Amino acid sequence: MPSVSMTVNGKQVSGTVEPRTLLVQFIRENLHLTGTHVGCDTSQCGACVVHVDGASVKSCAMLAVEADGSTVTTIEGLAGNADVLHPMQEAFRDNHGLQCGFCTPGMVMSAIDLVNNNPTPTDHEIRDWLEGNICRCTGYHNIVKSIAAGAAAMKGQKAAAE
Amino acid sequence: MYEFSYHKPSSVADAAQAIGAADDPKILAGGQTLLPTMKQRLASPSDVISLRGCRDLVGISSDGSTVTIGAMTTHAAVASSADVQKAIPALAALAGNIGDAQVRNRGTIGGSLANNDPAADYPAATLALGATIVTTKRELSADAFFTGMFETALEEDEIITAIRFPVPHAAAYAKFDNPASRYALVGVFYAKTSDGPRIAITGAGQGGVFRSTEIEDQIAAGKTPDSSSINESDLNADIHASAAYRKHLIGVMAKRAVAAAG
């Protein structure tokens, strides 16, 4: 069986996988990082979104072997420590951007990729970007509010760091 | 998903060799169609040959009259390329509206063309712009490349390496997308080329993407395009739209594309 190694949330990890092992299975079952969810398993719902080499991807539509040598960030890797959330996570909490929370890891990972590409997205751009993330509770309104607030907070954090 | 053997060659020559040595191989580009298909057990290749190691298949270059895009270039890279935005803005816009952001980060132009999904966007641009598909064996005109629904002129061990798009005088893509899948119910790509107008229609035809010389003649004559010449019995009908509705949409999308190209 092929062996894979990658950097996940800043840590070097490796494992032996079947070629057909999906990246999301490797993350959840080998690394026990269960924050990344499997929703539809047909690459539509976006609950499994992670970052691979800085870009958001659906980890249920990527083989683990294809991520060999990559840098992967999951929802667990966002907050620097257990007490301080990432500004986008904080914005979802502040704006009631979730109800059941199942879609939230994917929403947050997708939202951060949007803001990395477009630091000041309009509501329309946020809604357009969320094409690949399905939420069955909120009606999206508070998610859009959360992402707008999270984008502003990320900008503030970046400005403070400079 | 059924078991398979995985190969990651570092050159297309090695990839072609791996294809030749396998019982029932499939080439893996971005995997955004192939992997979901394999998960549903609609495809069960014995060997999956990944092109991810072939780094020279990624990239975009432009010399003013031609834009060349490597087969493994993602939709996101095409959409955000300053070269493509400048030379063929309609192509960049098309790439930026395929599927969703995560699909665009993985899906590739070569994979889309080799699959030739009858509702995919890239085949319309490739055919309307009169692009050249460069493979490991030869160069194919878009007119010769697309041979039917999910069918192309590619041989078993032939791999797309790049696509060369001649820069048109003007172009636009009008897509009526399925609100759930974002695939085209009907998409019309119009290109004003030095050989006259070219129109390619995706999403509608039972044989996949096709040109309408009747609509091209209407545009060349300065008339408003209409779809009365399209044969309804050649069009798809499914739960999303009847053939008659698709025929109507072809006229509407052609008008919008011509108007948008200016």
Side-chain angles (χ1 to χ4, degrees):
Chain A
M1 287 203 296
S3 61
V4 293
S5 64
M6 59 189 92
T7 306
V8 178
N9 300 334
K11 282 185 204 148
Q12 189 66 32
V13 300
S14 57
T16 307
V17 295
E18 282 190 283
R20 61 180 167 176
T21 304
L22 299 168
L23 178 59
V24 70
Q25 290 173 308
F26 182 71
I27 289 169
R28 288 178 57 87
E29 294 166 23
N30 289 52
L31 305 180
H32 305 295
L33 294 170
T34 52
T36 302
H37 291 165
V38 178
C40 68
D41 205 16
T42 56
S43 62
Q44 297 177 67
C45 79
C48 67
V49 170
V50 300
H51 294 184
V52 176
D53 296 327
S56 61
V57 304
K58 290 180 174 169
S59 59
C60 83
M62 181 170 178
L63 298 174
V65 285
E66 290 275 281
D68 186 40
S70 295
T71 299
V72 176
T73 306
T74 71
I75 190 76
E76 290 93 341
L78 290 182
N81 64 60
D83 301 325
V84 184
L85 292 175
H86 183 282
M88 188 60 77
Q89 292 174 304
E90 192 65 50
F92 269 71
R93 181 162 75 177
D94 291 347
N95 292 279
H96 199 88
L98 57 141
Q99 286 180 30
C100 87
F102 191 85
C103 72
T104 311
M107 287 284 177
V108 170
M109 298 310 288
S110 184
I112 291 169
D113 191 24
L114 166 66
V115 177
N116 286 342
N117 285 292
N118 177 0
T120 52
T122 63
D123 279 8
H124 179 80
E125 287 168 334
I126 294 170
R127 287 178 186 277
D128 193 55
W129 184 268
L130 292 181
E131 168 60 28
N133 293 85
I134 293 174
C135 170
R136 297 292 79 172
C137 305
T138 63
Y140 300 96
H141 194 67
N142 284 355
I143 293 175
V144 175
K145 253 170 74 180
S146 304
I147 294 173
M154 281 171 68
K155 212 174 162 201
Q157 195 181 57
K158 203 176 161 200
E162 280 166 1
Chain B
M1 198 186 303
Y2 291 112
E3 284 181 288
F4 56 85
S5 301
Y6 174 80
H7 310 265
K8 192 176 161 192
S10 52
S11 72
V12 283
D14 290 349
Q17 205 165 31
I19 293 167
D23 280 345
D24 182 16
K26 276 277 183 202
I27 298 172
L28 176 64
Q32 298 305 284
T33 299
L34 180 60
L35 292 175
T37 308
M38 287 169 65
K39 285 163 73 176
Q40 292 178 342
R41 297 184 170 182
L42 296 172
S44 52
S46 63
D47 294 76
V48 168
I49 293 128
S50 168
L51 297 183
R52 194 143 298 274
C54 307
R55 297 307 300 168
D56 50 347
L57 296 184
V58 179
I60 297 168
S61 63
S62 173
D63 67 3
S65 63
T66 307
V67 174
T68 304
I69 302 178
M72 282 293 283
T73 308
T74 63
H75 309 327
V78 173
S80 63
S81 158
D83 281 339
V84 182
Q85 286 171 358
K86 183 162 172 270
I88 318 177
L91 185 62
L94 174 149
N97 199 32
I98 295 173
D100 56 52
Q102 288 72 38
V103 166
R104 294 193 291 273
N105 280 337
R106 293 289 300 169
T108 66
I109 187 167
S112 171
L113 293 178
N115 190 45
N116 193 18
D117 188 298
D121 297 304
Y122 268 132
T126 305
L127 185 57
L129 290 164
T132 300
I133 291 100
V134 185
T135 77
T136 44
K137 296 190 171 190
R138 55 191 163 153
E139 297 191 354
L140 284 154
S141 72
D143 289 289
F145 180 81
F146 301 106
T147 56
M149 185 181 282
F150 294 113
E151 296 287 338
T152 69
L154 288 173
E155 292 168 15
E156 279 300 314
D157 59 345
E158 185 173 17
I159 301 167
I160 301 175
T161 55
I163 300 92
R164 283 206 305 263
F165 293 94
V167 175
H169 300 305
Y173 181 53
K175 172 179 174 181
F176 191 96
D177 45 10
N178 178 320
S181 72
R182 290 294 191 259
Y183 272 104
L185 264 184
V186 169
V188 175
F189 199 103
Y190 162 61
K192 193 173 163 187
T193 74
S194 41
D195 298 330
R198 284 173 67 105
I199 284 276
I201 299 155
T202 190
Q206 287 185 3
V209 67
F210 65 99
R211 277 174 71 190
S212 166
T213 50
E214 290 86 356
I215 295 178
E216 290 171 0
D217 291 343
Q218 291 165 353
I219 297 166
K223 293 182 194 155
T224 304
D226 73 73
S227 57
S228 56
S229 60
I230 304 281
N231 191 348
E232 205 177 296
S233 62
D234 294 336
L235 301 185
N236 291 325
D238 53 32
I239 57 165
H240 307 297
S242 65
Y245 186 58
R246 281 190 164 88
K247 177 175 171 170
H248 176 72
L249 279 178
I250 290 170
V252 176
M253 293 301 116
K255 271 183 227 167
R256 286 187 190 171
V258 170

